[in-house]
Structures are given as C-alpha cells and as structure tokens.
Amino acid sequence: MTIHPMRAGFLPLLCLLALLAGWPATAAQAQARAWLDRDRIALDETATLNVETTQAGAGAPDWSALEADFRLSGHTSSRQVEIVNGRSQARVLFAVALSPRRTGTLTVPPLQVGNASTDALALTVTAADATPARAGDPAFIESELDADRAYVQQAIGYVLRLYYATPLISGELEQPSPEGAALQRIGNDVQYNRDIGGRRYTVVERRFLLVPERSGTLAIPGARFTGRGTGNFFDDLFRDGSRLLRADGAPRFLEVRPVPDGAPQPWLPLRGLQLKYLSTPQQARAGEAVEIVVEARADGASGSQLPALELAVDGGAQVFPEPPEVEESFDQGRPVVRVTRRFAVVPAAAGTLTVRGPRQSWWDVAADEARIAELPDLTLDVVAGQGGRGIAAMDDGVRNAPGGIRLPGVQDPIGAWPLATVVFALLWLVTLGWALQRRTHVAGAVTNIGVATRETTGPRVAQRALRDALQTGDLHAIADALCALAQPPADGLDALAARLADPAQRDAIDRLQRARWAGGDAVSARAAVRDAFRDGPRWHEPVGGGPPAVLPPLYPR
C-alpha cells in the first residue's frame, strides 16, 4: 500500500489533535477559589464567604485567621460530582457567614485548602443603617430607589428586601409591575442576616432594573409576601405546626422628566460614562492583524442600552470587531455595566495608519447637561510585510500559489486535501464537545424564596418579546416583534396591519413605518405601539368556520 506524502505528513497532526482533545482532563490540577456573595455590607449585616476546591479528600479550611475581624456562624458544606471528558471530578464547597466587628475595608486573608490556597478578598463595611419602621414584626418589606427623580428611558435601580424572623417552610414574594415603566429582575436573590433591635432577621434582597417609559409621576405598587413559618408550642399543639406570615410593602413614587430639548441622540441618560483602551499596539505589519481592546463603563445603565463600540481607520486597513463582552452588576443600589470589545485591525500597506478613537454623546442626569466621552486617536507605524507585500499581494499569492493555498507565516503552500482534513477534524472535535456538554447538563432547582416562573409558549412569549423590544430595542426590532405576534408570523408590517381589526393598532403601525422610513417621530411611534398593543393584538374574525381541510374526506359523497 502506498501512502500519499501529504497524507502521511498530516497523520501526526491528527494524533496531535486527539491528544489535545484529552489533555485538559489529564492536566487539570487541584484548585481552590474563594468569593463573597456581597463586597459591601453594613455593620449589623452578614456576608457569606464561599470556598470551593477540586482536591479530593480536602478538609474544611482553617477559619481561625478570620476571627480577628469577623464573628463566624452558619458553617455549611456540600459536594458535587461532575463528568468532564469521561472523567469524574469532585467539587467541594464550604461556606461560612461573616459578621464584621468594625467598619472600614476589611481583608479576608488567603485560606489554605488542602494543597492549594485562595486569594485575598476585600469587604467594605459601613455604619449600621437606620432601623426599618416596621422592625419587630415577624415579617416586613422595605424597598429602595437609587434616585428620587429620573428621565424617560433612564435606568433606575430598585431594591426590594424581605425581612423575616421565623424560619420559613414556604413563601412567595411578588412585586407587581408599574404602569408606564418596564421592571426587569436582575441577578439572583441575595440572602443574609441582620440584627435589628436585639432580634435576628433573615433578609432576602432582590434587585430590579426600572426604566420609565413616559414622563409624569410613576407609582410603583408595594410588594406582597405570603408564606408559612415554623410555629410555637401552641401552633404545634392545635394546628399543623406552621404559622401564616403576611407582609405588604409601601408603594414608591418617582418623578419622571421628559427628554430635554436639544438632547444628543441617541438618547442616553447616565450618571457617568468612561471609555479607555485596555490594549493598544505600538506598531503593525502590513497584512498582519493587530488587536485593539476598548472598554466602556457606564453608571446607571444596562448592557442593552449602550450603543455598540466602534472603531474607524484613516487609510487602507480592515477592521474586524468581535462580539462585545458585557458584565452587569449593582453598585450601591444602582445598575453598572462594563462592556469590553476587541478589534482586529489589518493594515493594507506600509506607512502611517490612524485609528479614530471611539466617541459617544450622553446626558449627565446629575448635572442636567450633555457630555461627550471620547478616546484619543491612535497612530500606528506600519512596516512592510514579509517580502514587502501587503494585503493585495498576499491575495495574489493565495490565488497563484502552485500546488495549493499559501497562508501567512507558512513557508510552503498547503494543499487542498490537508486543509480540508484539518477543517473536518476541527468540526468533529466541536461536535464531540457539544454532545458531551448536552449529556452532562443537569437542570438545577431553585430552593430559595422566589416567584414561581410560569413559562408559556405562543402569544404570551411573543407579547413579552414585544415588551422587551419596546424597552431596549430599535425600531426594526420592534417591527420584527410585532410581526411575530401573528401565527404564523406576518411577512411584514403591511401584511400584519391587514389582519388587525383595531384601527388604533393599524394607526400605530403606520406611525412606526413613518418613523422607520420617512423621518417620523420615533418616541411618539414607540409610545403609540406600546399603548395600542398593551392588551395584545385584535384580529379579524376568521370567515368560514376555520381553515380549509388539508386532506380530502375519508368517505367522499
């Protein structure tokens, strides 16, 4: 049997790919990491310190180093076994509640877990908050807005806290949505303890993003809690051993101002916006990519509200942006988002290349004035590529390479057969990883207090998608969400309007079309669609008692 030279040269590559596929499972080392559920608490509250290790047989960390600054309680541990690339790996999680002894920035020192050590952490401790008005009740609710007044489309942080002094058997915390605003839950519930008036309460903290949709006074309905807690001796004797708990929160009010005249567009109300370069090259080579990384940090916004970061170049070059990386969090009760985006810039020829820094207009809600966040331009010295060729010469080399395809950085041309084999091998590895991930995926059950999520399909999902598009999407996204209301989806807004029976809904679609293509008022069009479709679409009644039969009758007359 004769082996083709190019095929023989590719066999070691296949072996290398197979070894790389199994390498992570064999090279994995025991690791330990630590994190806090919150990095800022009051003096009379607790924070949970979590320590996780993958080392088999590792015991609990030595907590004694924490006792100088914290009182320790609530020690727990759990073990989880997962399958990674056909190998079992155990993860052990240790947790302890920390009660600070003083205010200030306290350090959680590194902890030894088996043969590994965790990193040090910082915890900010502030003075104890004022005692809630209903402290002393078995259960009560308090809420907090991060601002007393806001602008239309400004993201406001809304925090809901449930206090209960009796261990719960079951419970449900509900926050009704306000009229004229979008209320979106952010992250998972945070649970901690707090001592109030000599009584120890468990606190469940839930965070929301509130976006007003129209000006005026916005009323936020009070939250409601119903649950059952463990009872006292008489409850155990005469009832089922449980105690009914109820709590109602007070409504909150927010003054919402309209968009100011002459405000920059797109409208972006924020508390602060900062742009910075995370990585910039000093020089470049023609035909080779260099990476530029830009970060935007916005105070008082969600990731969907920020426009996409873009780079422009002066001169011959191509820019290939990667999808942005979005990290959303809450800082002192309000939303904060950090967006990182990477750009690959490929100069076409030697010379000087100018990269225009990103620029974004925004409205300072604290100072009530327009501002601009921008970065300076970058000037790159581009040297000639290998053999003095740029992108055009490289393209000719690719097309005219004898016997195959020539890649940058590879001396000899690569034949079509080895290149196709590499592509199929990589696709096989991706498919294998996807299949293993599906087999090892296990759905978790949430056991803490929460609103029971009732997911539905069909019209309710389409209506929710329209509401999300009205909140954060552009006009084209709103049009797509409207077409999805029909079953099957409409081919366009004109086809959708022909199926609607409500003149107000058809008029709202007409205003949306004018805003999209004829320079109409986008704000009023968005409000018209929101008002007209608040209760869902209203269709023409079908004629003829239903759709015609697809198959002929079984016994025709």
Side-chain angles (χ1 to χ4, degrees), residues 307-334:
L309 292 170
E310 300 292 348
L311 284 184
V313 295
D314 290 346
Q318 292 178 303
V319 179
F320 302 95
E322 293 186 7
E325 302 173 8
V326 180
E327 179 183 343
E328 296 180 329
S329 61
F330 257 66
D331 185 9
Q332 301 184 26
R334 63 176 180 261

mmCIF file of all heavy atoms in Angstrom, residues 307-334:
data_model
loop_
_atom_site.group_PDB
_atom_site.id
_atom_site.type_symbol
_atom_site.label_atom_id
_atom_site.label_comp_id
_atom_site.label_asym_id
_atom_site.label_seq_id
_atom_site.Cartn_x
_atom_site.Cartn_y
_atom_site.Cartn_z
ATOM 1 N N PRO A 307 -24.935 51.988 23.145
ATOM 2 C CA PRO A 307 -24.630 51.742 21.731
ATOM 3 C C PRO A 307 -23.347 50.936 21.583
ATOM 4 O O PRO A 307 -22.476 50.933 22.463
ATOM 5 C CB PRO A 307 -24.476 53.155 21.160
ATOM 6 C CG PRO A 307 -25.169 54.062 22.137
ATOM 7 C CD PRO A 307 -24.987 53.415 23.477
ATOM 8 N N ALA A 308 -23.223 50.236 20.474
ATOM 9 C CA ALA A 308 -22.054 49.384 20.243
ATOM 10 C C ALA A 308 -20.794 50.234 20.074
ATOM 11 O O ALA A 308 -20.815 51.300 19.440
ATOM 12 C CB ALA A 308 -22.268 48.512 19.007
ATOM 13 N N LEU A 309 -19.695 49.768 20.653
ATOM 14 C CA LEU A 309 -18.409 50.428 20.479
ATOM 15 C C LEU A 309 -17.898 50.161 19.063
ATOM 16 O O LEU A 309 -17.932 49.031 18.582
ATOM 17 C CB LEU A 309 -17.400 49.897 21.498
ATOM 18 C CG LEU A 309 -17.665 50.244 22.967
ATOM 19 C CD1 LEU A 309 -16.731 49.452 23.872
ATOM 20 C CD2 LEU A 309 -17.483 51.740 23.203
ATOM 21 N N GLU A 310 -17.417 51.221 18.392
ATOM 22 C CA GLU A 310 -16.934 51.085 17.024
ATOM 23 C C GLU A 310 -15.596 51.791 16.880
ATOM 24 O O GLU A 310 -15.296 52.750 17.609
ATOM 25 C CB GLU A 310 -17.940 51.678 16.026
ATOM 26 C CG GLU A 310 -19.329 51.032 16.054
ATOM 27 C CD GLU A 310 -19.331 49.601 15.555
ATOM 28 O OE1 GLU A 310 -18.316 49.159 14.980
ATOM 29 O OE2 GLU A 310 -20.362 48.917 15.731
ATOM 30 N N LEU A 311 -14.779 51.309 15.919
ATOM 31 C CA LEU A 311 -13.506 51.935 15.558
ATOM 32 C C LEU A 311 -13.526 52.245 14.069
ATOM 33 O O LEU A 311 -14.044 51.461 13.264
ATOM 34 C CB LEU A 311 -12.326 51.019 15.863
ATOM 35 C CG LEU A 311 -11.876 50.863 17.322
ATOM 36 C CD1 LEU A 311 -10.637 49.983 17.397
ATOM 37 C CD2 LEU A 311 -11.589 52.209 17.964
ATOM 38 N N ALA A 312 -12.947 53.383 13.701
ATOM 39 C CA ALA A 312 -12.783 53.755 12.298
ATOM 40 C C ALA A 312 -11.302 54.023 12.039
ATOM 41 O O ALA A 312 -10.562 54.422 12.947
ATOM 42 C CB ALA A 312 -13.620 54.992 11.962
ATOM 43 N N VAL A 313 -10.859 53.785 10.798
ATOM 44 C CA VAL A 313 -9.450 53.977 10.446
ATOM 45 C C VAL A 313 -9.356 54.906 9.248
ATOM 46 O O VAL A 313 -10.244 54.946 8.388
ATOM 47 C CB VAL A 313 -8.765 52.629 10.136
ATOM 48 C CG1 VAL A 313 -8.721 51.750 11.367
ATOM 49 C CG2 VAL A 313 -9.474 51.901 9.011
ATOM 50 N N ASP A 314 -8.280 55.672 9.217
ATOM 51 C CA ASP A 314 -7.943 56.511 8.074
ATOM 52 C C ASP A 314 -6.794 55.837 7.341
ATOM 53 O O ASP A 314 -5.702 55.648 7.895
ATOM 54 C CB ASP A 314 -7.524 57.915 8.522
ATOM 55 C CG ASP A 314 -8.702 58.707 9.084
ATOM 56 O OD1 ASP A 314 -9.850 58.266 8.867
ATOM 57 O OD2 ASP A 314 -8.465 59.734 9.744
ATOM 58 N N GLY A 315 -7.023 55.484 6.097
ATOM 59 C CA GLY A 315 -6.003 54.763 5.340
ATOM 60 C C GLY A 315 -6.485 53.380 4.998
ATOM 61 O O GLY A 315 -7.586 52.967 5.345
ATOM 62 N N GLY A 316 -5.653 52.673 4.297
ATOM 63 C CA GLY A 316 -6.029 51.339 3.858
ATOM 64 C C GLY A 316 -5.894 50.321 4.966
ATOM 65 O O GLY A 316 -4.777 49.942 5.358
ATOM 66 N N ALA A 317 -6.988 49.885 5.516
ATOM 67 C CA ALA A 317 -6.980 48.868 6.571
ATOM 68 C C ALA A 317 -8.382 48.294 6.689
ATOM 69 O O ALA A 317 -9.371 48.918 6.304
ATOM 70 C CB ALA A 317 -6.511 49.430 7.906
ATOM 71 N N GLN A 318 -8.463 47.087 7.210
ATOM 72 C CA GLN A 318 -9.737 46.441 7.504
ATOM 73 C C GLN A 318 -9.863 46.264 9.013
ATOM 74 O O GLN A 318 -8.887 45.955 9.692
ATOM 75 C CB GLN A 318 -9.832 45.080 6.809
ATOM 76 C CG GLN A 318 -9.931 45.165 5.297
ATOM 77 C CD GLN A 318 -9.979 43.792 4.660
ATOM 78 O OE1 GLN A 318 -9.089 42.973 4.850
ATOM 79 N NE2 GLN A 318 -11.033 43.536 3.886
ATOM 80 N N VAL A 319 -11.090 46.450 9.533
ATOM 81 C CA VAL A 319 -11.360 46.327 10.964
ATOM 82 C C VAL A 319 -12.372 45.196 11.147
ATOM 83 O O VAL A 319 -13.445 45.198 10.542
ATOM 84 C CB VAL A 319 -11.913 47.642 11.550
ATOM 85 C CG1 VAL A 319 -12.205 47.470 13.043
ATOM 86 C CG2 VAL A 319 -10.933 48.779 11.324
ATOM 87 N N PHE A 320 -12.011 44.214 12.002
ATOM 88 C CA PHE A 320 -12.877 43.069 12.276
ATOM 89 C C PHE A 320 -13.221 43.079 13.770
ATOM 90 O O PHE A 320 -12.404 42.678 14.601
ATOM 91 C CB PHE A 320 -12.183 41.756 11.901
ATOM 92 C CG PHE A 320 -11.770 41.682 10.455
ATOM 93 C CD1 PHE A 320 -10.474 42.030 10.074
ATOM 94 C CD2 PHE A 320 -12.670 41.295 9.486
ATOM 95 C CE1 PHE A 320 -10.099 41.972 8.742
ATOM 96 C CE2 PHE A 320 -12.305 41.235 8.150
ATOM 97 C CZ PHE A 320 -11.006 41.574 7.776
ATOM 98 N N PRO A 321 -14.423 43.567 14.121
ATOM 99 C CA PRO A 321 -14.797 43.600 15.549
ATOM 100 C C PRO A 321 -15.321 42.249 16.009
ATOM 101 O O PRO A 321 -15.979 41.523 15.257
ATOM 102 C CB PRO A 321 -15.894 44.674 15.595
ATOM 103 C CG PRO A 321 -16.518 44.616 14.237
ATOM 104 C CD PRO A 321 -15.432 44.222 13.273
ATOM 105 N N GLU A 322 -15.028 41.915 17.264
ATOM 106 C CA GLU A 322 -15.586 40.727 17.893
ATOM 107 C C GLU A 322 -16.858 41.108 18.657
ATOM 108 O O GLU A 322 -17.080 42.282 18.955
ATOM 109 C CB GLU A 322 -14.573 40.102 18.858
ATOM 110 C CG GLU A 322 -13.347 39.533 18.181
ATOM 111 C CD GLU A 322 -12.439 38.804 19.163
ATOM 112 O OE1 GLU A 322 -12.851 38.638 20.336
ATOM 113 O OE2 GLU A 322 -11.328 38.425 18.757
ATOM 114 N N PRO A 323 -17.719 40.133 18.979
ATOM 115 C CA PRO A 323 -18.904 40.452 19.784
ATOM 116 C C PRO A 323 -18.504 41.034 21.136
ATOM 117 O O PRO A 323 -17.504 40.605 21.731
ATOM 118 C CB PRO A 323 -19.603 39.093 19.943
ATOM 119 C CG PRO A 323 -19.116 38.279 18.785
ATOM 120 C CD PRO A 323 -17.711 38.728 18.528
ATOM 121 N N PRO A 324 -19.232 42.011 21.634
ATOM 122 C CA PRO A 324 -18.859 42.643 22.917
ATOM 123 C C PRO A 324 -19.064 41.696 24.085
ATOM 124 O O PRO A 324 -19.940 40.828 24.071
ATOM 125 C CB PRO A 324 -19.789 43.854 23.010
ATOM 126 C CG PRO A 324 -20.964 43.497 22.149
ATOM 127 C CD PRO A 324 -20.437 42.633 21.046
ATOM 128 N N GLU A 325 -18.237 41.871 25.109
ATOM 129 C CA GLU A 325 -18.367 41.144 26.368
ATOM 130 C C GLU A 325 -19.009 42.092 27.380
ATOM 131 O O GLU A 325 -18.459 43.147 27.683
ATOM 132 C CB GLU A 325 -17.005 40.670 26.866
ATOM 133 C CG GLU A 325 -16.269 39.767 25.877
ATOM 134 C CD GLU A 325 -14.857 39.450 26.335
ATOM 135 O OE1 GLU A 325 -14.519 39.807 27.481
ATOM 136 O OE2 GLU A 325 -14.089 38.867 25.538
ATOM 137 N N VAL A 326 -20.176 41.711 27.902
ATOM 138 C CA VAL A 326 -20.974 42.585 28.771
ATOM 139 C C VAL A 326 -20.983 42.010 30.176
ATOM 140 O O VAL A 326 -21.242 40.818 30.375
ATOM 141 C CB VAL A 326 -22.417 42.725 28.242
ATOM 142 C CG1 VAL A 326 -23.228 43.634 29.151
ATOM 143 C CG2 VAL A 326 -22.408 43.263 26.816
ATOM 144 N N GLU A 327 -20.694 42.853 31.153
ATOM 145 C CA GLU A 327 -20.721 42.472 32.566
ATOM 146 C C GLU A 327 -21.590 43.480 33.318
ATOM 147 O O GLU A 327 -21.229 44.654 33.425
ATOM 148 C CB GLU A 327 -19.303 42.437 33.143
ATOM 149 C CG GLU A 327 -19.250 42.066 34.614
ATOM 150 C CD GLU A 327 -17.844 42.117 35.176
ATOM 151 O OE1 GLU A 327 -16.881 42.121 34.381
ATOM 152 O OE2 GLU A 327 -17.697 42.170 36.413
ATOM 153 N N GLU A 328 -22.730 43.014 33.825
ATOM 154 C CA GLU A 328 -23.674 43.872 34.539
ATOM 155 C C GLU A 328 -23.618 43.578 36.030
ATOM 156 O O GLU A 328 -23.475 42.423 36.430
ATOM 157 C CB GLU A 328 -25.095 43.663 34.017
ATOM 158 C CG GLU A 328 -25.272 44.059 32.561
ATOM 159 C CD GLU A 328 -26.694 43.838 32.074
ATOM 160 O OE1 GLU A 328 -27.360 42.904 32.576
ATOM 161 O OE2 GLU A 328 -27.127 44.588 31.188
ATOM 162 N N SER A 329 -23.744 44.621 36.843
ATOM 163 C CA SER A 329 -23.704 44.457 38.297
ATOM 164 C C SER A 329 -24.481 45.602 38.937
ATOM 165 O O SER A 329 -24.943 46.524 38.257
ATOM 166 C CB SER A 329 -22.256 44.431 38.800
ATOM 167 O OG SER A 329 -21.589 45.648 38.498
ATOM 168 N N PHE A 330 -24.613 45.506 40.276
ATOM 169 C CA PHE A 330 -25.237 46.564 41.075
ATOM 170 C C PHE A 330 -24.173 47.142 41.994
ATOM 171 O O PHE A 330 -23.448 46.405 42.662
ATOM 172 C CB PHE A 330 -26.393 45.995 41.892
ATOM 173 C CG PHE A 330 -27.747 46.315 41.323
ATOM 174 C CD1 PHE A 330 -28.149 45.801 40.107
ATOM 175 C CD2 PHE A 330 -28.623 47.140 42.008
ATOM 176 C CE1 PHE A 330 -29.387 46.089 39.589
ATOM 177 C CE2 PHE A 330 -29.867 47.437 41.490
ATOM 178 C CZ PHE A 330 -30.250 46.916 40.277
ATOM 179 N N ASP A 331 -24.087 48.463 42.046
ATOM 180 C CA ASP A 331 -23.131 49.139 42.918
ATOM 181 C C ASP A 331 -23.896 50.194 43.713
ATOM 182 O O ASP A 331 -24.422 51.154 43.130
ATOM 183 C CB ASP A 331 -22.009 49.782 42.096
ATOM 184 C CG ASP A 331 -20.928 50.395 42.972
ATOM 185 O OD1 ASP A 331 -20.965 50.178 44.204
ATOM 186 O OD2 ASP A 331 -20.043 51.098 42.439
ATOM 187 N N GLN A 332 -23.976 49.984 45.035
ATOM 188 C CA GLN A 332 -24.687 50.894 45.921
ATOM 189 C C GLN A 332 -26.131 51.100 45.457
ATOM 190 O O GLN A 332 -26.661 52.211 45.472
ATOM 191 C CB GLN A 332 -23.948 52.229 46.014
ATOM 192 C CG GLN A 332 -22.523 52.106 46.541
ATOM 193 C CD GLN A 332 -21.842 53.440 46.709
ATOM 194 O OE1 GLN A 332 -22.490 54.467 46.896
ATOM 195 N NE2 GLN A 332 -20.517 53.442 46.664
ATOM 196 N N GLY A 333 -26.777 50.016 45.060
ATOM 197 C CA GLY A 333 -28.188 50.053 44.731
ATOM 198 C C GLY A 333 -28.536 50.493 43.335
ATOM 199 O O GLY A 333 -29.719 50.631 43.011
ATOM 200 N N ARG A 334 -27.580 50.726 42.453
ATOM 201 C CA ARG A 334 -27.913 51.135 41.094
ATOM 202 C C ARG A 334 -27.127 50.296 40.087
ATOM 203 O O ARG A 334 -26.054 49.766 40.391
ATOM 204 C CB ARG A 334 -27.648 52.624 40.888
ATOM 205 C CG ARG A 334 -26.212 53.071 41.034
ATOM 206 C CD ARG A 334 -26.110 54.559 40.698
ATOM 207 N NE ARG A 334 -24.775 55.084 40.811
ATOM 208 C CZ ARG A 334 -24.328 55.762 41.859
ATOM 209 N NH1 ARG A 334 -25.116 55.980 42.886
ATOM 210 N NH2 ARG A 334 -23.089 56.223 41.879
#
